[in-house]
Amino acid sequence: MKILKFGGTSVGSAERMQALAGLISGGAPKIVVLSAMSGTTDALVEIAEALAAGETEKADGLTGALEQKYAEVCAKLYGTRGALGKGSALVASHFRHLRSFTAEKFTGKEERAVLAQGELLSTAMFQCYLEEKNIDSVLLPALDFMRIGGNEEPDMARIEADAAKELSRYPGKTLFITQGYICRNASGEIDNLKRGGSDYTATILGAAIRAEEIQIWTDIDGMHNNDPRFVAKTRPIAELSFDEAAELAYFGAKILHPTCILPAQLRNIPVRLLNTLQPEASGTIITGRSTGDSIKAVAAKDGITAIKIKSGRMLLAYGFLRAVFEIFERNKTPIDMITTSEVAVSLTIDSTTRLDAIVAELKGFCSVEVDDGQSIICVVGSFTAEKEGYALKIFEALRNIPIRMISYGGSENNVSVLVDTKNKREALIALNEGLF
Ligand code: ASP
Ligand code: MG
């Protein structure tokens, strides 16, 4: 069995859904994981926000506009009266459900139920289209097998058992459709795997059923060796190791959800990144094999804040870093990069919601400087393969760029530097020229 996940743009219009049906029909047995149509989850977030704020009229208006959009898609998607009637009735039932939420009782639980409607809609509409085209398929409700535990992590043991049980009900079937992103939580309520989580559904499910391959289909031909928005002539990377892909996914290579590599890596299931608009292109394959050669890609992440902490007390003292880290822990703010000298530590964060509280606490025992508007640029590869010389190559390429921090040696797959965001484009271009 293979898992094929398609993102929001791949089901983003009637035409794209029709093309998708052609792409997935026939061939080896597969489970197709779908996102919501592009824009839908954002719209549902707005509806939920309006309801949470007690703005019922606003929520009604937004719901009406979204329903209109779906009516238009149905009108184009289905060719027969029967299918149009059935598809429209399915859509209407989800919108009736959406309208049943009221501002009077709108807690996190209701919010998550609202957010789940996008994937429920796209899969119902798509499966109805497959029926119209006489393509035999089974709609597997993700809420019957995807589950997170109390720690918000996937409950792998239960997912394995429940997914196997669901699949065993359909011997001989070869095409299954299911929802990405949505799941149940430890209390059995509807929940989700956080924004962009459909990739995660695909790799969790792939790991649970020990799929032979997990395919993530998007609108770009695999992971690129640099950011195509800033650098001309980037190219897709043919092959990456799980470790390299995990570093890249985290550092803003938007095409993969950061946590989704792990389940595939644990079961050693290859993940292939493919392009719906160019299905024959080979894309990127991510496997447990070390691909041997050195520098693979460069990626950048903006919106970084650097905090420099200086204290005479750090000199020869132990426990200083613990005290610093505890402040970030208490404020639930993850640290991305860190460098130290004998008397100072610099670190970076990408969420500033608790910045004022963090700075106030730090000032209790050291001096603090904050710089916002920074970008982390990371160079990813397997640096064991090329023990000497790669640092020279990186820094030679960056010789004209002011560098605020350097992180080297944290893993064998990543060298990161922090630069002012205004120098990012130049740095990416310089690295492209110097490294590839
Ligand atoms: N529909 C969800 C989102 O927009 C999940 C996903 O597409 O991966 O975040
Ligand atoms: Mg995505």
Side-chain angles (χ1 to χ4, degrees):
M1 188 80 87
K2 288 187 181 177
I3 309 280
L4 282 70
K5 179 259 167 179
F6 294 88
T9 52
S10 303
V11 289
S13 67
E15 293 79 6
R16 295 297 296 271
M17 284 201 199
Q18 288 160 346
L20 182 59
L23 195 66
I24 59 160
S25 62
K30 52 180 89 70
I31 303 178
V32 173
V33 176
L34 298 183
S35 287
M37 292 182 75
S38 50
T40 298
T41 310
D42 288 336
L44 293 170
V45 167
E46 269 190 82
I47 293 169
E49 278 169 1
L51 286 169
E55 300 171 303
T56 314
E57 253 175 61
K58 185 175 175 195
D60 280 346
L62 292 165
T63 308
L66 190 63
E67 184 164 19
Q68 178 60 35
K69 191 180 135 188
Y70 274 83
E72 283 160 23
V73 174
C74 283
K76 280 197 197 145
L77 177 61
Y78 304 110
T80 60
R81 275 195 141 191
L84 178 60
K86 187 173 176 194
S88 307
L90 284 167
V91 167
S93 74
H94 286 285
F95 279 92
R96 260 198 311 282
H97 185 52
L98 268 178
R99 288 211 169 76
S100 72
F101 294 96
T102 62
E104 282 69 55
K105 185 185 179 294
F106 201 79
T107 65
K109 180 178 158 197
E110 284 75 25
E111 181 197 350
R112 293 187 292 268
V114 165
L115 295 185
Q117 299 308 310
E119 273 70 12
L120 292 168
L121 274 162
S122 63
T123 47
M125 285 163 74
F126 183 65
Q127 209 251 341
C128 182
Y129 178 71
L130 293 178
E131 253 174 50
E132 181 184 30
K133 292 284 150 194
N134 292 317
I135 300 170
D136 190 26
S137 70
V138 176
L139 186 59
L140 284 183
L143 297 178
D144 289 350
F145 58 86
M146 283 301 291
R147 191 173 271 271
I148 50 175
N151 52 3
E152 303 220 329
E153 294 289 322
D155 183 343
M156 280 312 278
R158 275 192 74 165
I159 296 171
E160 258 178 55
D162 291 346
K165 196 166 91 201
E166 278 302 303
L167 287 169
S168 71
R169 294 172 51 201
Y170 305 99
K173 296 284 182 189
T174 54
L175 178 58
F176 297 89
I177 312 294
T178 193
Q179 298 86 16
Y181 177 62
I182 65 174
C183 61
R184 291 202 183 270
N185 60 26
S187 325
E189 297 160 1
I190 296 179
D191 211 317
N192 61 63
L193 301 174
K194 309 263 157 47
R195 294 305 305 272
S198 295
D199 296 347
Y200 200 22
T201 300
T203 57
I204 293 168
L205 184 57
I209 66 159
R210 294 174 157 76
E212 67 199 71
E213 182 173 290
I214 299 159
Q215 301 180 349
I216 309 282
W217 290 78
T218 61
D219 273 0
I220 136 161
D221 48 351
M223 274 233 215
H224 275 230
N225 66 340
N226 206 325
D227 192 328
R229 288 169 304 177
F230 302 105
V231 179
K233 285 193 276 184
T234 62
R235 53 179 164 73
I237 312 164
E239 210 176 331
L240 280 171
S241 69
F242 287 122
D243 288 332
E244 291 166 345
E247 300 270 13
L248 274 178
Y250 176 70
F251 279 97
K254 276 249 153 58
I255 111 166
L256 258 194
H257 185 266
T259 53
C260 84
I261 293 296
L262 191 61
Q265 182 166 22
L266 291 175
R267 291 271 158 87
N268 199 20
I269 300 171
V271 177
R272 204 180 277 280
L273 309 179
L274 292 159
N275 184 354
T276 337
L277 300 174
Q278 233 182 299
E280 59 304 322
S282 53
T284 299
I285 176 117
I286 305 166
T287 67
R289 278 194 302 273
S290 157
T291 50
D293 59 309
S294 54
I295 297 169
K296 293 287 175 47
V298 177
K301 185 166 170 159
D302 295 341
I304 304 292
T305 300
I307 304 173
K308 187 193 273 176
I309 300 159
K310 209 166 167 187
S311 169
R313 271 195 270 168
M314 187 179 163
L315 197 64
L316 303 176
Y318 49 83
F320 180 82
L321 283 177
R322 192 199 58 212
V324 169
F325 288 155
E326 275 173 355
I327 291 174
F328 288 83
E329 188 182 344
R330 273 198 295 283
N331 287 288
K332 296 197 164 55
T333 301
I335 297 169
D336 290 330
M337 240 177 115
I338 166 158
T339 59
T340 76
S341 81
E342 276 306 322
V343 293
V345 186
S346 274
L347 40 81
T348 70
I349 56 176
D350 63 10
S351 155
T352 52
T353 25
R354 303 283 305 163
L355 182 62
D356 292 344
I358 291 169
V359 170
E361 282 193 56
L362 286 169
K363 281 197 168 146
F365 63 101
C366 44
S367 75
V368 184
E369 264 174 56
V370 176
D371 289 316
D372 57 8
Q374 307 288 305
S375 295
I376 296 178
I377 295 189
C378 81
V379 178
V380 168
S382 287
F383 302 133
T384 37
E386 194 189 336
K387 291 202 180 60
E388 290 152 24
Y390 66 88
L392 178 68
K393 267 194 220 163
I394 294 169
F395 292 106
E396 197 149 69
L398 291 173
R399 66 183 165 274
N400 295 321
I401 313 280
I403 295 174
R404 168 81 166 72
M405 283 168 69
I406 296 172
S407 174
Y408 172 102
S411 85
E412 285 166 353
N413 303 106
N414 179 339
V415 176
S416 290
V417 296
L418 188 74
V419 303
D420 197 302
T421 301
K422 67 176 195 284
N423 298 321
K424 177 189 75 170
R425 176 190 292 265
E426 206 189 326
L428 289 175
I429 293 171
L431 285 168
N432 216 50
E433 280 164 9
L435 301 181
F436 304 123

